Amino acid sequence: MTLKIAVLDDYQGVAERHFGTLGDEFEIIYFKDTLLPYNHPATPQSVRDELVQRLEPFQIISTTRERTPFPAELVSRLPELKLLLTNGTRNLALDLSAFKERGIAVGTVLGVRPVDFAPVVDPTPEHILTLILALSKNIAADDATVKAGGWQTGFSTSLSGKTLGLVGLGRLGAVTAKMLHAALGMQVIAWSPNLTQDKADEQARAAGFAATQADGRPTFASVSREHLFSRADVVSVHLVLSDRSRGLVVADDLRRMKPESFFVNTSRGPLVVERDLLDTLQKGRIRGAALDVFDIEPLPTDSEWRTTAWGRDGRSQVLLTPHTGYVDHAVIHGWYKLQAEEVLRWKNGEELSMRLV
C-alpha cells in the first residue's frame, strides 16, 4: 500500500531533498503555505474545513514547530492519520492527549549538522542579539533610506553599560544576557513569576560569571516586575507560552518603560497583549520594538504590523522578522533529514527515536 505523506509549512523548500529519497512506496505532497490556525478565534469555519480537506487523505504528516497547530478537534477529523512528526524539544501546539486517544504516534527530532552530525547550538540567541543591535543602531531604517535615495535621517543608541531587562531567565535568556554583558558591559536584571536571586545567581555562574560583580551587585539581578520595566533600556521576553503566561505583558508594563527604551520579543507573540503593544508603538511611547513572533503567523497581509508607517509621524521604530530566530540552514536541513529517517523507522515497525506519544 502506498503511504501518503503531507509535509506542511516548508517555507524554504528544503524537505523534498530529504523526503524525496524515501522511494516509490510513498506519495509525498509538499505544502509551503500555512492556513490560519484551526483553533484561533479569528479563523472562519470555511478555513478550518479547508485545512481538514487538505489533511484528511494522509497517513503521515510532517510539521515544523507550531506553524500548524493540531488541537483535539482537528485531530478528531483526520481519520487516516497514523503518524505525526514534529521537531524541537517541544511543540505546545499539539494536543498530545488527543493523539494518544486516537492511537496516533507522535515523534520529534532535534537538529544536527548535516556534515558531522554534531549537536547544533541554538541559533536563536544570535538572532536576538542581531535584532537588539539592529534596532538600537537604526540599521533597517537607514538601509531603507539609503536605497530610497536619502541619507542620514535618525539617530542610533549606544547600549554599552546600559541595562538589559529579561522577562524570563531560562536557557535562551541566560545566553542572551551572557553575550550582552560580556560584549557591551550591559547590566542584567531579570524578572519572571518564579525567579529568585538564587536562581539568577545559578544562571550567572552557568554563563561563566561570578554571581557578584566587583561592586557587590549581582551579575544577574532578580528584580520586581515594576523595577524591570521602569529601569531597563532593553526589555527582552524569554518565556515559554502556557495558559499562565499568555497575555502576561500588558499595557501597565509597557507604560512603565523609558521613552528611549526598546522592547524585543522572540519567544511567542501571545505572551504580550498585542493591542497594548500596538497602541504603545502607535503613540511613540518608547523608542522602538523588534519582533520575531506574532499572535497569528504568518502575519495576515492586512496586519497593522505590515501596514503601519512605523518610525513616522511620532510612531516608534519597529523592526520585524518572520519567526526566523531558529531558521538556521543546518538546523532545518537536519530536522527534515531526521524526519525522513523516522518515517522509514516507523514503517519498518521500529521504535521512533524520540516519541512524544
Side-chain angles (χ1 to χ4, degrees):
M1 181 184 74
T2 300
L3 290 169
K4 294 184 177 181
I5 302 176
V7 178
L8 307 185
D9 314 316
D10 177 22
Y11 300 151
Q12 288 81 19
V14 170
E16 190 167 1
R17 170 176 169 180
H18 304 287
F19 277 78
T21 64
L22 288 175
D24 295 338
E25 54 198 325
F26 297 95
E27 178 186 342
I28 308 169
I29 306 296
Y30 302 91
F31 298 98
K32 290 187 178 182
D33 63 315
T34 298
L35 299 177
L36 286 172
Y38 188 95
N39 54 343
H40 196 281
T43 302
Q45 187 60 44
S46 60
V47 175
R48 294 189 179 100
D49 293 341
E50 182 183 352
L51 180 59
V52 171
Q53 291 168 11
R54 169 181 285 189
L55 300 181
E56 61 185 355
F58 295 96
Q59 291 85 36
I60 302 170
I61 293 176
S62 161
T63 185
T64 295
R65 299 291 290 268
E66 295 95 355
R67 290 176 182 176
T68 294
F70 282 82
E73 184 179 338
L74 175 57
V75 175
S76 70
R77 297 182 66 183
L78 303 177
E80 298 297 323
L81 186 59
K82 300 293 186 293
L83 171 67
L84 183 133
L85 294 170
T86 183
N87 37 46
T89 55
R90 59 177 172 263
N91 186 339
L92 299 180
L94 305 180
D95 189 324
L96 295 180
S97 60
F99 284 98
K100 184 176 182 179
E101 184 178 336
R102 285 275 318 281
I104 300 168
V106 179
T108 188
V109 299
L110 302 180
V112 297
R113 296 193 186 281
V115 175
D116 57 14
F117 301 101
V120 169
V121 175
D122 194 314
T124 304
E126 296 178 17
H127 193 78
I128 298 166
L129 178 64
T130 302
L131 286 178
I132 291 173
L133 292 176
L135 182 63
S136 67
K137 295 303 179 185
N138 210 38
I139 297 298
D142 284 346
D143 174 74
T145 296
V146 172
K147 289 174 178 175
W151 201 237
Q152 295 185 18
T153 60
F155 300 97
S156 67
T157 299
S158 174
L159 298 179
S160 295
K162 300 270 181 83
T163 300
L164 171 67
L166 301 173
V167 181
L169 189 59
R171 179 176 57 87
L172 295 180
V175 175
T176 302
K178 176 181 181 179
M179 293 189 298
L180 288 166
H181 180 69
L184 298 178
M186 292 192 77
Q187 299 302 306
V188 178
I189 59 177
W191 169 83
S192 70
N194 299 315
L195 184 65
T196 65
Q197 188 56 55
D198 285 344
K199 291 180 180 177
D201 290 344
E202 289 176 11
Q203 291 287 43
R205 285 190 286 265
F209 303 120
T212 305
Q213 300 180 81
D215 59 7
R217 289 182 296 173
T219 304
F220 295 173
S222 174
V223 300
S224 69
R225 180 176 187 157
E226 294 77 13
H227 182 95
L228 183 136
F229 280 95
S230 63
R231 296 295 297 276
D233 298 290
V234 177
V235 173
S236 187
V237 180
H238 300 273
L239 293 172
V240 174
L241 180 63
S242 67
D243 290 339
R244 291 179 57 197
S245 63
R246 185 178 297 272
L248 184 67
V249 178
V250 297
D252 283 347
D253 301 313
L254 300 170
R255 273 195 289 268
R256 291 189 175 97
M257 292 180 66
K258 301 176 184 179
E260 289 299 309
S261 63
F262 301 102
F263 182 84
V264 180
N265 187 9
T266 57
S267 294
R268 291 295 182 271
L271 291 166
V272 184
V273 177
E274 185 176 62
R275 186 70 260 164
D276 292 349
L277 181 57
L278 278 164
D279 289 346
T280 297
L281 298 170
Q282 292 274 16
K283 295 172 183 177
R285 289 178 176 160
I286 62 175
R287 181 70 180 276
L291 307 173
D292 188 47
V293 289
F294 308 91
D295 273 16
I296 298 178
E297 298 179 6
L299 276 177
T301 54
D302 60 352
S303 166
E304 284 184 64
W305 295 117
R306 292 185 187 268
T307 60
T308 302
W310 298 112
R312 301 179 188 175
D313 302 321
R315 302 181 189 90
S316 304
Q317 289 285 359
V318 174
L319 179 63
L320 306 176
T321 54
H323 203 154
T324 49
Y326 67 94
V327 185
D328 176 87
H329 181 276
V331 170
I332 299 299
H333 275 274
W335 278 347
Y336 281 122
K337 180 182 185 300
L338 288 179
Q339 281 198 13
E341 292 175 0
E342 291 296 281
V343 168
L344 291 177
R345 187 172 285 113
W346 175 82
K347 180 183 179 296
N348 293 330
E350 301 173 17
E351 187 66 28
L352 297 176
S353 298
M354 296 184 66
R355 185 162 180 159
L356 299 179
V357 171

